[in-house]
Amino acid sequence: MANLNRSWVTKAAQLGLVNPSALDGEDLIVVRVFAFVDQLVWPGRKRSRSEARAMEPWQSLAVNAAREAARDNATKLNSILWITPEGVEVTNEIGTHIAFVLEHQGSNFVAVPIGEWVSELPPNLETIFHWPRKLADTTITVHDTAIDVLAFSTISQQVTVFATSTKPLDDTSYGKVRQHAASEHPGSAVRIIERRANGAPSPWFELCDLPDGGLARRPLDYTSLLNEYGPQLKHLGRRPDRETT
């Protein structure tokens, strides 16, 4: 499911890195990073590919850092695991990415897109920190308009609902979506995010009730949504054609 060659799982298990009978999302990340570092040879160093060998210290550090990144709330989609012959570092923002590169100019290092690798975990193996699990996937119809509804668990006692439609939600359809979510998950606060499926310039909005009635829309940045919901956005299918963020 994770598109990993089973031989790498076997090698990782032999080194005590994973238990092949109970692999989870963290383990898949560990195996993928292990497969990468096991084949990495630094300039000026020689190593036989067929020679049996134990892990070198920098390889162990890389594998351990990968597992920690898979558990860390600070990990984002653009997080990078930097590997050097002497050690490793994980950076989560563009500023710290640049700082690492500047600090290591003239040195040997490689960059593993650890955030992207985490986001590529298969469904039901998304056991990563704050990225929520899917609760429901259904369609409701209001005013002859179909609204696709996906609900995810987020923070304690809160459900986030993505409502996808070709038309903007009006007060009635918004109320129906909220009512449906509340009935399915009683006692939980409901956050509703609207996704326009008709190529609107700004397809993502958070919907909120105004104090004196009516509906307010707050545009949402797609990159921020990816950092918050990660692989779950893949359940929404292809993004609208005009969205380029």
Side-chain angles (χ1 to χ4, degrees):
M1 291 175 64
N3 198 30
L4 286 171
N5 188 307
R6 185 167 293 276
S7 65
W8 289 113
V9 178
T10 301
K11 290 180 180 180
Q14 290 172 346
L15 290 170
L17 302 178
V18 297
N19 179 353
S21 64
L23 292 173
D24 60 17
E26 290 179 14
D27 293 326
L28 297 181
I29 295 300
V30 165
V31 172
R32 188 168 181 181
V33 171
F34 165 67
F36 177 79
V37 299
D38 190 63
Q39 300 174 85
L40 178 61
V41 180
W42 296 108
R45 301 188 184 184
K46 295 182 179 180
R47 188 178 66 181
S48 170
R49 293 176 60 87
S50 60
E51 179 184 351
R53 56 188 178 273
M55 292 184 70
E56 297 182 37
W58 65 270
Q59 293 173 317
S60 296
L61 289 172
V63 169
N64 290 335
R67 186 178 291 281
E68 288 303 314
R71 299 170 173 169
D72 191 351
N73 285 332
T75 302
K76 298 180 179 179
L77 194 73
N78 64 347
S79 293
I80 294 177
L81 168 61
W82 303 93
I83 305 173
T84 76
E86 292 76 35
V88 300
E89 184 176 337
V90 176
T91 57
N92 302 309
E93 306 285 349
I94 184 64
T96 50
H97 299 341
I98 295 172
F100 180 93
V101 172
L102 292 176
E103 182 181 347
H104 292 80
Q105 290 185 88
S107 303
N108 293 317
F109 62 84
V110 294
V112 171
I114 194 70
E116 291 186 12
W117 286 11
V118 167
S119 76
E120 293 169 359
L121 289 171
N124 302 320
L125 285 170
E126 297 157 345
T127 58
I128 308 303
F129 44 90
H130 59 290
W131 285 345
R133 61 186 178 89
K134 185 169 68 170
L135 298 176
D137 183 351
T138 188
T139 299
I140 63 176
T141 302
V142 182
H143 301 323
D144 297 324
T145 298
I147 304 172
D148 295 327
V149 175
L150 282 171
F152 301 100
S153 65
T154 50
I155 62 176
S156 178
Q157 298 300 304
Q158 177 172 298
V159 173
T160 297
V161 175
F162 286 89
T164 303
S165 177
T166 57
K167 299 179 181 179
L169 271 64
D170 59 17
D171 290 357
T172 301
S173 54
Y174 166 76
K176 291 290 186 181
V177 171
R178 177 172 288 281
Q179 182 181 23
H180 173 81
S183 65
E184 292 291 320
H185 309 284
S188 295
V190 177
R191 181 189 187 193
I192 297 179
I193 296 176
E194 177 189 48
R195 174 181 180 263
R196 305 273 183 85
N198 59 354
S202 299
W204 303 92
F205 296 90
E206 182 168 6
L207 305 183
C208 306
D209 293 300
L210 291 172
D212 56 351
L215 188 60
R217 281 180 167 81
R218 182 173 69 88
L220 295 175
D221 174 71
Y222 184 70
T223 300
S224 298
L225 284 173
L226 280 176
N227 284 331
E228 187 171 357
Y229 294 95
Q232 298 295 6
L233 288 191
K234 295 177 182 177
H235 292 292
L236 299 180
R238 188 172 62 85
R239 288 180 291 166
D241 292 338
R242 292 179 62 183
E243 183 180 1
T244 58
T245 302

